[in-house]
Structure formats: C-alpha cells, structure tokens
Amino acid sequence: MSLSLRYESVDKIFDEGSKHAVHALKKVSFTIEPGELFCLLGPSGCGKTTLLRSTAGLESITAGRIFYGDRDVTTIPPFRRNIGMVFQNFALYPHMNVFENVAYGLRVRKMPAADVKNKVTEIMELVGLQDVLRRNPSPMALSGGQQQRVAIARALVYDPDVLLLDEPLANLDAKLRRYMRAEIRRIQKATNITTIFVTHDQEEAMAVGDRLAVLRDGIVEQIGSSDELYNQPKNPFVANFIGKMNFFNVVVTGLTSTSVEVVLADGTKLSVDKKQYRSGEDLSKGMELLVAARPEHLGVCKEKKDPSLEGNVTIIQHLGHIVRYEVKVSLTSSDRTLEIDMDGMVPSIMEKDSVRVVFDEKKVALYTKEGLI
Amino acid sequence: MKLTNSSRWKRFIQKDFTPYLVFAIPLGFLVIFLFWPLITTFLRAFMGSGAKLSLSNLGVSNFSKFLTSPLYQKSLRNSFVLSFSVVIFSILLGVPMGYIVARVKLPAKNLILSLGILPVIMPSFVGAFSWIILMGRQGVARHFLQILLNPLGITIPTIYGMFGMIFTMSLIYYPFVFLLSYSSFSSANPLLEEAAMLMGAGKWRIFWTITFPLILPSLGAASLLVFIRAIGSFGIPAIIGGEQYVLPTLIYFRVNGFWDLNGAAAIAVVNVVITGAVLIFQKYVVSRRQYETISASRSEQKLYTHWAARLFGGLFCLVILIVSLAPQITIIVMSFFEKWQGLLPEGLTLANYKRIPQVSRSELGNSLYLSSVATLFTAILGSIIAYITERRRPKGAAILDLAIMAPFVLPGTVVSVALLSAFSGNALIPLGGTFTIIIISYMIRRTPYVYRSVVASLTQLDPTLEESSTISGANWFYTFRKVSLPLILPGIISGSILTFSTLLQELSTTILLYGAKTRTVPIQIYIAVADGKMGEASALSVILLIVVFIIVYVMNTFQGNKMVNSFKLG
C-alpha cells in the first residue's frame, strides 16, 4: 500500500537566531500522491535537498508538519520512519559485500536469515543484478551503474513507505545517466512506492517525474506535469529554468477582448492572445511586460518579414536534430543573447551576418517582469 | 506556525539518548584530569613556596626567581639555546637527506627510510646513555678519535654538557625533518618544476623559487615537532646534561629535591608559555603558506642519476645513518659485556640478561601493565572524543580539539606536576604514588595519538554512510557498531599501537609520579645509568628496543610507511 506524502507550511531556518541564519524552506505546502514519482527541481541552494533531508528526518524542521499518509512524522526520528533513501554518492558500505549491503535494513529489522536471502534475491532480480549477487563481490569492485542499482536495491528491500532519491544520477556519466533514469522509472513503477527524486537537471526531471516541483530560494514556484511546466510556466523563472526561454521588453499599447497589443523597443508590433498572458496582475495600457519565446518559437531569415526584429548572428551550433543560432539584438529589446532553433541549416546565413528575427505570434507568451533573474 | 511545546517535548523524548550518555564520560574525564589539574597548576604557580593552595597567598615570588636566581636564568637560557640549536641542526641534517633520498637514484631506499625512523621510535634516554659509553670521559669513540687527532692538537669534548645534548638530540630528532621533507620532496608535482624549467629557470633558481617554498609548510611542522620534543625532553638532559640544567630537569629538581610543587608549577607555566608561543608562531606564520596544488595530472619524479650525485648523496645518508644508529648498536654490544672503557669491550657475559628476572621482574610487569591498561583506555577516550568533535560538531568543538591536543605540546614533567598539584597530599581525590595516577598521566599524554589517528579515519568516512544506516532503520548504537566502528577501526588500532610503543619507553612523566611499587623499566634503566651500571641498563634497553621494534615493524607492515605522520601536529 503506497502512502501519500504531505507537507504543511514547512519552514526550515539553519542557525536560527544567529547572524548567518539561512531560511532554506519557506512555508512549503503540497501533497505527493500515493505511488507517484515526484521530482524536486531547482538550482543549487534552492532548498530541494533540505526538503528531502527533512522528509527523511535527517534535518529537523523549524516549523510546519510532514505527514506520511495520515501519520504525522514531524517529530519521529529517521530510524523509526521506514523510509528508503539513495544518496548521491550511493553510500555503499565498503566493509560489507553486496549481499550484506542490501540485507542491511532487513538485519536491522531482525528478519530470519532465510527470509533475508529470499528478499535480497528478489530485489536484486528487480534491479537486474542477479549475476552480481551470485559473485557477491565488494561494492567497490562494481561499476558506477551497478553501484547505483545496489544502492536502489538496498533502499527498496525492506518495503519502505517512501523512497527518497538525492541526485542519484549525478555521479554517473552522461550516457549511463540517460539509461538509468529510465531504469529508475521502471523500478519505481514496478514497486509503486511513493518516490521523491531530487535533481538540478531539468531534462532529467522532465524525463523521469510524474509531476515536478520547481523550487527557488526555499519557495515552491510551480508544481505540475512536465508538459504543464514546459508549455504553461507560471512565471519567467520557471519558464527559463524548464528549457530555455528568450525574453523581450515590451510595452502594452492596446487591449482588445481577446488579444494584447504590445510594442518592442525598436517599434516592432506584436499581437498576443490574452490567454497567453500568464501573470496575475491586471493588464493596462502602458504597462511594461515581457514577451517570452522558446527557441523553437523564433526563426531567423535574411529577408524582412512582419513582425520581425533586427539582429546579428554570433554563433551557429549544429546539434544534430536542430541548428541553434545565437543572435544579438539591441539591448533595449532583449538584454540577453537570443537562442533560436531551426530545423535545419539556413544556407544563406553565416556567423556575423545581420539577420531578421521572426516571431511565431501564436506561441509566444506574456509575463510581468516579476521573478526574472 | 511554530512548533508547539507539546510537540517539542514529543520530539525530545523520541530522541536517541545513547550518544549523549556515551559522550558524557570522556568529557567528564577531561574536566577532572586535564582542566582541573591545569588550573591548579596555574594557581599554584602564583603561591609562594610551601604556601597552601588558597587565594590569599597569591604572589609572583616563584616567577621572580627567573630574575634573581642564576640557576633559573641559566636553565631558561639553556632550554632556549638547546631547543633552537636542535631545530637548526635537525634541519641541516634532515632536509638534504630528504632531498637526496627523494630525488637521487639510490639503492635500498626503503631500507634507508626504515632505518631513518629508528632513532625517534627508540627511547631517547637510551640514546643518551649509550653516547656516554661512546663519548663519555672514558668513551670508546672519543678514545679512538683522540689517538687520531691528538697530533693535530685537537681535543674532543666529552658528551656531557650543552654540546653533548645538542649533538645527541639532533641525531635523535632529525628523522622528523628527514621523513617529512622526504615525503614533500617526493610528492611535489614535478610538472611545477618542469613548467619553471620551460620558462627558462635554472636548476638552482627552481630549487629556491619552486621546490623549497612548496616544502616550507612541512618543514615548519617538522621543526615545531622537533622543538616541542627538545624543549620537553627530560631524559637526555638528566643523563648527560651534567651541570647544565634545562626547564624539565629544573622542574624535577624542585619536586624531587624540595617537594616544592608551587615552584615547579611556576617553571612549568614558563615552559608551557614558551612552547605555546612557538606553536602560535608556527601556526600563523608558517602554516598560512599551506598550498593546495592545483593540477589535473602528474608525472613521475625525475631522479638525478649522475655518478657524483649518487656517490656523495649516498655517502651523506650513510654517515648520518651510521652516526645516528651508533647508540643502538653500542647498547646491543654493551649488553653482552661487563665493561667497555678502552677501545674494546671486556668480559663477554650473559650475566646482564640473567640478572633481569631477579632484579627487574616487577618493573617489567609494571611497564606492561601500565602501558596496556593506559593504551586500552586511551583508545576508548581518544576514539569517542574524535567521534564527537568530528561527527557531532558541537558548539565549542574547536575548544575540545584544542584541549585534547594540548597535552601533545605539554612536556611530560609538566603533566606530572599538574597531576601532582591536583591529586597529591590531602587532595580531594588522593592519588599520589598509585598506579592510577600514572595511568591517568599516560592517558592525558597519549590521547592525541589515538585522537588524530581516528579523526583522520573519520574525515575519510563519508557521513552519508551513517545517515544511510539511520534511514535503513538502525538506531545510533547499531549504526555505530555495524558501520562507523568497523570503518574507523584501522585508525584506532594504529593510534593504539603508537600509544603502546611510546608508553613502554615513557620516562619524563613517570619520573615524578612513580613510587616504590610502581617503578617501570625506563625508571629502572635511568637509575641503573645513574649508578653507573651500564651492563644492566644496556640489557634492559635491548629488551625494550626489541619489543618496540617488533611492535613498530608490525605496524609499518600494517599501514605502510606513514608512521611519521602520526607524530605530526595539526
């Protein structure tokens, strides 16, 4: 039986009262559904690891409550919580062989030897390490991917209520990382244990998680499926953290019942659907907004089209499935270099060329400037 | 929403309290047997000689002796001259030897390294008295050299006095400099020197601008180690100092001659202040130049292969090794003879050994008993305190760290004086003349060895291993037994072996604490030397040498040639 996991206005302040007090979590409240694979995503220092360690009980929280199902575990020490956790460096015991590593939690629970053997064999089959178990070497003799699987097996073998993964793929090389994230999803779905997966890699989070929470400075910015977060980010921070987002400074020139008329600093006019305005504040004429466009919602071309903007190509990178153009436009329009993805090379355009940047008006979104880093 | 009081209470009683109980005991020990004695010593230093320990008797009469008494002034000056000279000579011997062994192609390097460490692990007073055999008034080597040098009009001084102390100590303590500079020279990244060479620097320039600055921190640590040993040494000045008193012998003189604990305490305070000043100097001037080497790759050290470098380098090392190991060889020869006053020893005999069971049975028993009991407790104390400071990082961990390392720099005689100040006569807990007070003094002095060794293991032990065990459902004690302890055990064992082997030869603390029933082998040797019974002293020393050698040999095979690091400070 899987359990839900609920946070009620959780606050965590490190060194409370001292000069160096750090407010790591600020009134965090949300619920993870039973059996869900939930990703905590955010830049380093955003509080995601603190939230995970608080969930485990390795950090005590300053205020608020944490529930496993209906049970309030806020004050329960970690060793009485029945959780499984995989650490970033796997934390395998170098003085025990693979079998003893996996069996550790069962030995703690004083399970009879025969049952221990069955359980370990079963779980090692699930993670695909039957052969390793037969040889039963020291964990230090295993490859990174195998160590990872042993760590997962060790965390799962005693049927924990909750599984916590702390950047489990960070120590693996890129290719293995892509493979293991699919494996983790397969194993999690097979056991159906409510799981939290912490990562700073948005691609990994989108690939693995049923739902994601984006954290910044101890605040949950947005929770939703990968699709929601990518296509409907609530604010510029989430928009730019989940995938790349280009921003342009605009001013509202007119409002109709269905669309917002805006103008860029160089006079380029855009008309955006009102539904694409994603900030809460009421719109008014003369308001300063941001137009947000994903790299695939922009294009480059030589000839002048409407609406378009003048720019200079700085770098062209061929990435295989797409070609990325980095384009500089006037600082008043956008203070950062634009990234524009095209399906293929545009033969007439070279680096250092002057080009027109065109917008896909139906796809671009509008935000207030709040929350842009 | 803050936690309510009731849930705070709930969290409190749900906590695992075993660690706090386990931690309370060693902390209590430190307070009673380290802080309290040190405080009483400090107070006593300000009481006139013979005055009761009471605040109304405060005064500086003990210290004013340093201004009025010629004996005090001479001792203070001697301590300074001796310690600094020993540091300088150790550097002059050790650095070139370290460089040669690290950078010149020589045969049997491992043997050179193993022989090089012997002088420091062997009892230092043994070295001192065997130099008497060699260079005393009737000394063998002196006799021999005299015949050679007399026609040139040169007379060799005897080993007694300042020259002898500097000579003996430098030969005993140079291995610290040798081994630490060897390891820096050999582990320095050769790419740094190659880069300098590519930029056009000559060999000499490279040495002074690249190689040498990089080993400075190690050299500073080694010099400090030598200084602390030299200024705290009791055995060597007591045996060959003659009329030249130094602070530790002066302390002994005050306690043993006059039972003037207050006067001794004052000398102890001065001694500690000097050591402390040098320690702080080293910490803030030399250690600050600690460099992190930034490098992605490293290549093999290129060795000098020119015949001249090999010949002179080899000879240099050989001469130092022979001279520094001469005492050990002398002792072994001496132990089989009746006397050795001319060129050759006379009267081959086993009597020296045969007499041991009769005259030294209880001393051997005492030494073994005291060393093993103290080692056991030291291992427990040191491990737990290391665990607290390293893992729990409580507020004031730095103070705990300082407290535990303090005895490392305290001369043995000072520790004895502190314990006597607090626990002798009609003290609250009278311990004078018991086994207990010796065991406690040993624990206080050697806990740093185990502590450092365990801290080193703990810093390599990833805390997530313990967290992962907690997550798996194990309480603190289970985690400690199954995860932490097995992983820090090597550190505990090597610290304990070092403790045991140094305790067997401990003299400077025991000399002030022993009673008729608690005499140890080093005390027996010291008394035998004082009585001129060189044969008996040699036979006992040989037994000590053999035991210590076996222990250290086992330990070296057990943890590689890193032993000198265990002596290192901070």
Side-chain angles (χ1 to χ4, degrees):
Chain A
M1 247 288 292
S2 323
L3 293 179
S4 67
L5 196 54
R6 185 153 52 91
Y7 302 91
E8 267 184 14
S9 33
V10 172
D11 257 298
K12 171 72 190 178
I13 304 170
F14 286 104
D15 298 327
E16 194 180 11
S18 88
K19 253 188 279 176
H20 316 285
V22 176
H23 206 153
L25 295 172
K26 296 167 189 158
K27 296 230 173 299
V28 171
S29 300
F30 63 92
T31 305
I32 298 171
E33 302 302 331
E36 195 171 23
L37 176 45
F38 192 90
C39 283
L40 289 178
L41 177 64
S44 56
C46 70
K48 56 190 190 301
T49 296
T50 307
L51 186 58
L52 189 83
R53 289 175 61 84
S54 303
T55 313
L58 293 172
E59 303 285 353
S60 59
I61 54 177
T62 314
R65 291 198 285 175
I66 299 174
F67 293 87
Y68 292 178
D70 294 328
R71 187 162 70 115
D72 181 352
V73 297
T74 316
T75 59
I76 294 178
F79 63 94
R80 298 211 186 103
R81 289 194 184 189
N82 195 32
I83 38 184
M85 183 158 173
V86 175
F87 292 83
Q88 186 170 348
N89 56 5
F90 313 143
L92 297 177
Y93 306 130
H95 59 304
M96 300 178 188
N97 57 33
V98 167
F99 181 91
E100 283 307 319
N101 260 285
V102 177
Y104 190 82
L106 301 174
R107 300 253 191 251
V108 172
R109 286 165 177 74
K110 299 198 170 59
M111 187 180 267
D115 297 349
V116 170
K117 192 151 195 280
N118 288 338
K119 274 292 234 180
V120 172
T121 315
E122 195 181 306
I123 203 78
M124 288 297 266
E125 267 167 31
L126 178 72
V127 299
L129 285 182
Q130 308 87 311
D131 303 339
V132 169
L133 188 60
R134 227 165 285 133
R135 285 187 292 122
N136 197 17
S138 156
M140 298 301 121
L142 300 180
S143 69
Q146 287 171 322
Q147 290 187 349
Q148 163 83 284
R149 287 164 194 262
V150 173
I152 295 174
R154 185 178 67 179
L156 285 174
V157 73
Y158 45 85
D159 300 317
D161 293 331
V162 177
L163 178 63
L164 307 173
L165 308 170
D166 184 8
E167 307 225 8
L169 304 178
N171 278 350
L172 304 179
D173 64 58
K175 210 161 195 178
L176 194 56
R177 199 148 58 207
R178 277 198 291 277
Y179 177 67
M180 278 311 292
R181 71 190 184 204
E183 274 296 281
I184 286 179
R185 192 166 165 86
R186 176 185 69 78
I187 294 166
Q188 194 270 335
K189 289 302 158 202
T191 52
N192 202 33
I193 292 172
T194 312
T195 301
I196 304 182
F197 184 111
V198 163
T199 177
H200 61 266
D201 180 344
Q202 52 92 16
E203 186 189 314
E204 193 172 288
M206 289 173 71
V208 163
D210 292 321
R211 282 197 304 156
L212 288 66
V214 178
L215 272 82
R216 179 168 62 144
D217 294 340
I219 294 169
V220 178
E221 293 278 357
Q222 190 173 356
I223 295 178
S225 66
S226 306
D227 200 55
E228 284 165 352
L229 288 182
Y230 190 79
N231 292 321
Q232 252 119 59
K234 267 187 190 161
N235 58 41
F237 171 76
V238 176
N240 199 28
F241 195 75
I242 303 284
K244 164 75 189 174
M245 189 70 94
N246 299 300
F247 293 105
F248 300 88
N249 301 316
V250 294
V251 178
V252 178
T253 53
L255 293 162
T256 70
S257 56
T258 55
S259 68
V260 187
E261 309 291 334
V262 294
V263 62
L264 272 79
D266 72 334
T268 310
K269 285 185 181 126
L270 292 174
S271 167
V272 184
D273 194 320
K274 241 185 183 165
K275 284 179 197 143
Q276 292 288 78
Y277 174 64
R278 300 206 185 110
S279 298
E281 221 175 305
D282 282 336
L283 286 168
S284 62
K285 234 172 142 177
M287 206 172 160
E288 290 188 4
L289 291 181
L290 290 171
V291 163
R294 297 262 179 222
E296 62 269 26
H297 299 159
L298 295 173
V300 284
C301 59
K302 273 275 176 193
E303 61 278 19
K304 191 168 161 64
K305 279 187 195 166
D306 266 338
S308 72
L309 188 63
E310 163 115 29
N312 260 303
V313 178
T314 52
I315 292 170
I316 303 175
Q317 302 176 68
H318 205 300
L319 300 179
H321 57 300
I322 51 157
V323 182
R324 174 158 301 163
Y325 291 81
E326 291 193 7
V327 179
K328 259 198 150 68
V329 295
S330 74
L331 281 181
T332 43
S333 301
S334 178
D335 40 20
R336 277 171 239 188
T337 306
L338 304 178
E339 284 181 19
I340 300 169
D341 291 351
M342 304 292 283
D343 291 335
M345 275 293 228
V346 185
S348 58
I349 297 176
M350 300 292 164
E351 286 177 356
K352 291 182 183 161
D353 278 2
S354 162
V355 291
R356 302 299 298 182
V357 176
V358 291
F359 293 84
D360 183 344
E361 274 177 295
K362 289 195 188 71
K363 298 277 178 64
V364 300
L366 289 171
Y367 293 99
T368 53
K369 286 189 171 173
E370 208 169 330
L372 184 71
I373 16 167
Chain B
M1 183 188 66
K2 282 275 175 192
L3 285 176
T4 59
N5 270 335
S6 78
S7 73
R8 266 187 199 283
W9 174 244
K10 220 162 65 194
R11 176 176 293 178
F12 184 72
I13 54 169
Q14 289 246 7
K15 255 192 175 162
D16 189 355
F17 281 105
T18 14
Y20 298 93
L21 290 175
V22 174
F23 297 162
I25 298 159
L27 293 182
F29 179 89
L30 282 186
V31 169
I32 298 172
F33 295 111
L34 180 61
F35 294 144
W36 172 238
L38 287 180
I39 292 167
T40 31
T41 311
F42 190 74
L43 289 177
R44 270 184 192 277
F46 292 93
M47 316 270 156
S49 127
K52 281 246 172 58
L53 187 61
S54 144
L55 284 181
S56 56
N57 292 333
L58 279 181
V60 291
S61 62
N62 290 322
F63 291 104
S64 59
K65 278 195 182 152
F66 279 102
L67 297 174
T68 55
S69 153
L71 178 65
Y72 272 56
Q73 286 178 344
K74 192 108 195 287
S75 307
L76 186 60
R77 201 165 53 232
N78 281 344
S79 270
F80 265 111
V81 172
L82 175 65
S83 313
F84 283 108
S85 313
V86 170
V87 168
I88 290 166
F89 283 109
S90 301
I91 290 175
L92 290 180
L93 294 179
V95 173
M97 190 162 163
Y99 189 75
I100 290 166
V101 177
R103 299 291 174 85
V104 178
K105 192 168 150 64
L106 287 178
K109 276 192 183 174
N110 276 331
L111 187 67
I112 298 177
L113 288 169
S114 313
L115 291 177
I117 200 175
L118 277 180
V120 267
I121 57 174
M122 293 304 177
S124 58
F125 55 91
V126 170
F129 91 76
S130 62
W131 276 112
I132 295 182
I133 299 173
L134 287 170
M135 296 279 282
R137 282 183 195 93
Q138 315 284 328
V140 184
R142 185 162 171 264
H143 199 79
F144 182 67
L145 288 171
Q146 208 65 59
I147 295 168
L148 284 182
L149 296 175
N150 244 356
L152 301 172
I154 302 170
T155 34
I156 307 279
T158 63
I159 199 74
Y160 297 101
M162 188 50 91
F163 161 77
M165 288 194 282
I166 296 174
F167 178 78
T168 315
M169 277 195 198
S170 303
L171 283 174
I172 289 175
Y173 296 137
Y174 89 91
F176 289 122
V177 180
F178 162 50
L179 293 169
L180 286 174
S181 58
Y182 163 77
S183 69
S184 309
F185 279 131
S186 61
S187 66
N189 189 346
L191 289 180
L192 298 178
E193 289 171 24
E194 281 165 18
M197 204 188 304
L198 290 177
M199 287 184 265
K203 280 208 153 97
W204 199 239
R205 191 190 185 90
I206 292 174
F207 182 83
W208 286 112
T209 57
I210 312 286
T211 319
F212 189 71
L214 284 175
I215 74 144
L216 259 187
S218 281
L219 196 57
S223 307
L224 178 70
L225 211 53
V226 172
F227 182 87
I228 288 170
R229 297 272 166 148
I231 203 170
S233 169
F234 169 79
I236 296 170
I239 290 173
I240 58 173
E243 300 289 297
Q244 305 289 341
Y245 276 86
V246 293
L247 295 176
T249 44
L250 191 65
I251 292 176
Y252 175 69
F253 185 57
R254 283 319 300 172
V255 177
N256 234 31
F258 302 93
W259 192 244
D260 176 14
L261 274 183
N262 298 354
I267 308 167
V269 167
V270 170
N271 197 337
V272 169
V273 167
I274 297 171
T275 320
V278 172
L279 179 70
I280 289 168
F281 175 79
Q282 194 267 352
K283 205 166 178 73
Y284 289 96
V285 179
V286 185
S287 298
R288 203 184 282 172
R289 298 160 165 268
Q290 196 76 255
Y291 305 103
E292 288 279 335
T293 313
I294 325 148
S295 74
S297 66
R298 45 189 315 126
S299 61
E300 278 289 303
Q301 234 15 290
K302 273 211 196 70
L303 300 178
Y304 293 102
T305 48
H306 193 270
W307 66 268
R310 297 184 62 188
L311 180 68
F312 290 114
L315 275 179
F316 183 80
C317 296
L318 199 64
V319 168
I320 294 183
L321 281 181
I322 289 174
V323 177
S324 71
L325 292 175
Q328 274 75 9
I329 299 160
T330 312
I331 290 295
I332 296 174
V333 175
M334 180 70 223
S335 70
F336 292 103
F337 290 90
E338 275 168 12
K339 60 176 189 173
W340 190 356
Q341 286 175 342
L343 207 53
L344 291 173
E346 297 159 41
L348 186 64
T349 174
L350 280 174
N352 294 326
Y353 287 99
K354 287 197 182 127
R355 223 174 356 221
I356 289 176
Q358 296 154 24
V359 296
S360 310
R361 178 182 296 160
S362 70
E363 281 77 7
L364 283 168
N366 285 347
S367 268
L368 274 182
Y369 169 75
L370 288 169
S371 306
S372 28
V373 173
T375 302
L376 179 69
F377 285 125
T378 304
I380 297 171
L381 183 71
S383 310
I384 294 178
I385 296 180
Y387 192 84
I388 301 173
T389 47
E390 201 43 46
R391 272 298 179 269
R392 297 275 155 157
R393 288 246 148 254
K395 288 196 181 85
I399 295 173
L400 202 60
D401 190 81
L402 200 69
I404 204 75
M405 289 312 288
F408 198 78
V409 300
L410 294 180
T413 38
V414 172
V415 173
S416 314
V417 167
L419 286 173
L420 285 174
S421 304
F423 302 109
S424 70
N426 40 11
L428 205 59
I429 318 169
L431 292 174
T434 59
F435 282 104
T436 317
I437 196 165
I438 297 181
I439 291 174
I440 289 169
S441 74
Y442 285 2
M443 289 172 68
I444 292 291
R445 289 203 67 200
R446 295 295 182 253
T447 307
Y449 290 178
V450 178
Y451 172 79
R452 284 202 55 85
S453 178
V454 175
V455 164
S457 317
L458 272 172
T459 45
Q460 280 168 22
L461 170 63
D462 191 335
T464 56
L465 289 178
E466 287 157 358
E467 283 177 355
S468 138
S469 167
T470 312
I471 293 283
S472 310
N475 60 24
W476 181 83
F477 192 58
Y478 193 95
T479 304
F480 185 77
R481 257 186 325 129
K482 295 284 181 174
V483 178
S484 322
L485 190 61
L487 290 171
I488 60 176
L489 202 58
I492 299 177
I493 290 174
S494 63
S496 305
I497 290 177
L498 192 65
T499 301
F500 185 74
S501 64
T502 54
L503 283 181
L504 277 179
Q505 26 171 307
E506 157 59 53
L507 176 69
S508 61
T509 323
T510 330
I511 193 83
L512 285 175
L513 298 175
Y514 78 91
K517 284 184 181 162
T518 56
R519 279 157 54 113
T520 61
V521 172
I523 298 284
Q524 172 93 345
I525 296 174
Y526 177 73
I527 293 170
V529 171
D531 293 349
K533 296 182 200 158
M534 291 300 180
E536 187 188 326
S538 302
L540 273 173
S541 303
V542 169
I543 290 181
L544 208 53
L545 290 182
I546 291 171
V547 173
V548 170
F549 184 79
I550 291 173
I551 294 171
V552 171
Y553 182 78
V554 168
M555 166 157 157
N556 257 347
T557 43
F558 178 77
Q559 65 157 35
N561 219 331
K562 291 183 200 133
M563 215 176 101
V564 71
N565 286 328
S566 331
F567 288 103
K568 231 166 116 180
L569 180 77

